[in-house]
Amino acid sequence: MTALEQAAEAIKGARKILAFTGAGISVESGIPPFRGSKDSLWENYDPDIIHLDYFHNHPKESWEFIRDVFYKYMSRRDILPNAAHKFLAALEREGKLTAIVTQNIDNLHQMAGSKVVWEFHGTTATLSCEHCGGKISAKEVDLEEEFPPRCEKCGKVLKPDFIFFGEGIPREAYEGSIAATEGVDICIVVGTSGLVMPADMIPIMAKRNGAKIIEFNTQPSKFTEEGMTDIFVQGKAGEEMGKLADILGIEI
Ligand code: NAD
């Protein structure tokens, strides 16, 4: 049996599936990952630009990067969910998948129709004021008009609700993600290097709770290398999950 056929068999027999996703799932949608290729973000930029201290001391410079990468680029109309996002949304509709824990901030799981999505690293969809706690939808902000964007109530610079280096995991997403690992019989791990902590603990906890790990990645990750993965499907997530949907007869 091929790895894909083994994955199909395991999914057929599963009652409760959790998915854990990383930047690699969105590569076929046109968003480069942070690491692992020459297009990777941190090959081309210094990650300090979204360190919280840097943001506080140089909000305009930090916001120039945030605007260009996270708002202009990621929100382009041609950046759409691919077959991997759609397959996970279909598994939820089938009643098999109970949650996705994603490290991504690109909103593509929600665009694909997934309902239970724990955004472990927050989201680009809203901006908050660290000073007065005000929150606003990113759609309501016009970066051409006011730059960097400021809080309507107190006038301080707004910060996107994805986490910066030096920041903790949003409490609700943290607790929801941990709870989502309980009682799952399969954890599908997609397109993540597994190098970012503490997010890496989610598949580890699922495994401890008895789940089988099925992994999709173009190259071995920390989970594959440490022997945690039970079934490793090597290839592009969208291509492989599209084939998996066909094997399972699931419409995506
Ligand atoms: P990573 O950048 O560390 O690793 C990406 C992984 O995806 C690698 O293991 C790579 O081999 C794999 N990959 C590349 N193309 C693939 C494909 N087509 N199919 C399957 N796998 C593929 O990503 P990470 O582990 O998610 O950690 C990086 C952090 O960067 C996360 O915290 C995430 O928030 C953030 N990030 C998010 C986005 C996004 O929202 N789309 C993009 C870049 C980075």
Side-chain angles (χ1 to χ4, degrees), residues 5-214:
E5 285 163 352
Q6 288 175 40
E9 281 307 304
I11 288 170
K12 266 186 213 159
R15 288 168 299 107
K16 191 172 174 189
I17 300 175
L18 168 71
F20 176 68
T21 66
I25 195 171
S26 298
V27 168
E28 286 154 272
S29 296
I31 302 178
F34 278 4
R35 303 175 190 79
S37 80
K38 65 172 176 24
D39 302 327
S40 306
L41 215 49
W42 304 142
E43 292 291 322
N44 298 297
Y45 295 97
D46 180 350
D48 272 353
I49 196 117
I50 49 167
H51 193 288
L52 201 56
D53 291 340
Y54 185 85
F55 175 74
H56 289 151
N57 293 323
H58 308 273
K60 188 162 177 287
E61 288 80 355
S62 192
W63 252 110
E64 277 166 4
F65 169 81
I66 295 165
R67 175 192 60 199
D68 293 349
V69 172
F70 297 106
Y71 289 103
K72 280 197 179 158
Y73 188 82
M74 272 196 196
S75 325
R76 272 179 13 207
R77 281 203 191 141
D78 57 338
I79 304 257
L80 294 169
N82 64 54
H85 300 101
K86 291 180 191 167
F87 174 71
L88 295 179
L91 271 190
E92 186 183 48
R93 283 198 299 277
E94 297 265 317
K96 283 200 177 270
L97 184 139
T98 47
I100 296 174
V101 175
T102 188
Q103 301 166 85
N104 296 344
I105 54 176
D106 56 25
N107 220 35
L108 290 179
H109 285 301
Q110 291 90 335
M111 278 172 77
S114 289
K115 300 283 182 252
V116 184
V117 182
W118 294 108
E119 294 174 303
F120 206 81
H121 293 153
T123 178
T124 50
T126 52
L127 311 176
S128 289
C129 175
E130 292 178 292
H131 185 68
C132 74
K135 198 184 265 296
I136 183 168
S137 163
K139 287 190 186 131
E140 290 174 45
V141 175
D142 184 348
L143 296 174
E144 305 287 327
E145 199 176 288
E146 186 176 39
F147 192 82
R150 290 183 180 274
C151 176
E152 278 178 0
K153 284 190 223 145
C154 71
K156 295 278 194 280
V157 173
L158 291 167
K159 181 192 161 291
D161 284 336
F162 63 82
I163 60 163
F164 284 27
F165 292 111
E167 254 191 306
I169 307 302
R171 178 188 275 269
E172 205 189 334
Y174 184 82
E175 289 172 358
S177 301
I178 290 176
T181 66
E182 282 166 23
V184 289
D185 37 30
I186 290 183
C187 177
I188 304 180
V189 176
V190 194
T192 174
S193 59
L195 297 176
V196 179
M197 288 186 282
D200 67 326
M201 73 180 181
I202 297 301
I204 296 174
M205 289 181 80
K207 177 101 183 172
R208 278 200 202 125
N209 292 341
K212 191 177 256 194
I213 306 289
I214 304 177

